[in-house]
Amino acid sequence: AQTVTQSQPEMSVQEAETVTLSCTYDTSENNYYLFWYKQPPSRQMILVIRQEAYKQQNATENRFSVNFQKAAKSFSLKISDSQLGDTAMYFCAFKGSSNTGKLIFGQGTTLQVKP
Amino acid sequence: NAGVTQTPKFQVLKTGQSMTLQCAQDMNHEYMSWYRQDPGMGLRLIHYSVGAGITDQGEVPNGYNVSRSTTEDFPLRLLSAAPSQTSVYFCASSYTMTGKRAFFGQGTRLTVV
């Protein structure tokens, strides 16, 4: 069965600094998608970044980038120039070729950006 | 566009009561799903639908019922609420089951006392 693990329940970073959130996953599939979602206190689930497994190049979206290591089944999120608005819970998620279309989520990492 | 709209945002139920969580999307998405979010467990799939008239069970379906009479609406029914169903519920949709991006509603915080 596919699993997603986020081993850091809580993290903090000073404003303007860089922080990396870790995620590992387990699958026997070769083609799949990986995602990072942000959940601020408003509860809204916001897609931060998406990586397609067949693409070697790491995805980037402005201050957000990933380090995708397919062989190691690792998918970390780097947030550069952290801002107070980045304070949120972050979820790593996996989507494979299952016949349910489901997203498999990690446990989440609460990130606090300190002024 | 409104995207995915969930109502209500908050609800308190007594054990044994029934209720329906509403979900509507205006993006003409085929695939819709319901998740529940519990502390330390991420989100887990309850039920999903690949189109009007077609629904199926996800990972944690017990105690919940769904129907999909239109493309736009995908209500989730709690038949007889239990304290174990206290959770935050999210509706999500995507263009197809294999779609690259899911759009989420704002969530419903449900407390069963």
Side-chain angles (χ1 to χ4, degrees), chain A residues 33 35 37 39 42-45 47 50 52 54 89 91 95 98-107, chain B residues 9-10 31 35 37 40 42-43 45 48 59 88 90 97-102 104-109:
Chain A
Y33 297 105
F35 307 86
Y37 281 90
Q39 186 180 44
S42 67
R43 232 179 26 230
Q44 182 70 46
M45 293 290 286
L47 179 64
R50 177 180 64 225
E52 297 165 353
Y54 67 86
M89 179 165 280
F91 289 97
K95 183 171 184 178
S98 75
N99 59 1
T100 66
K102 76 175 179 181
L103 288 161
I104 300 170
F105 286 84
Q107 303 91 327
Chain B
K9 289 186 171 54
F10 301 93
Y31 183 81
Y35 289 83
Q37 180 182 7
L43 281 72
L45 182 67
Y48 67 95
E59 189 180 353
V88 178
F90 285 95
M97 187 172 71
T98 57
K100 294 181 185 181
R101 179 175 178 176
F104 284 84
Q106 289 189 303
T108 297
R109 180 175 293 278

Side-chain angles (χ1 to χ4, degrees), chain B residues 1 10-11 30 50 52 73 84-85 97-98:
Chain B
N1 282 344
F10 301 93
Q11 183 71 49
E30 289 183 357
V50 297
D73 299 302
S84 61
Q85 294 179 303
M97 187 172 71
T98 57

Side-chain angles (χ1 to χ4, degrees), chain B residues 29-52:
Chain B
H29 284 173
E30 289 183 357
Y31 183 81
M32 297 184 74
S33 53
W34 278 100
Y35 289 83
R36 60 177 288 173
Q37 180 182 7
D38 300 297
M41 300 185 73
L43 281 72
R44 293 179 293 167
L45 182 67
I46 304 171
H47 283 287
Y48 67 95
S49 168
V50 297

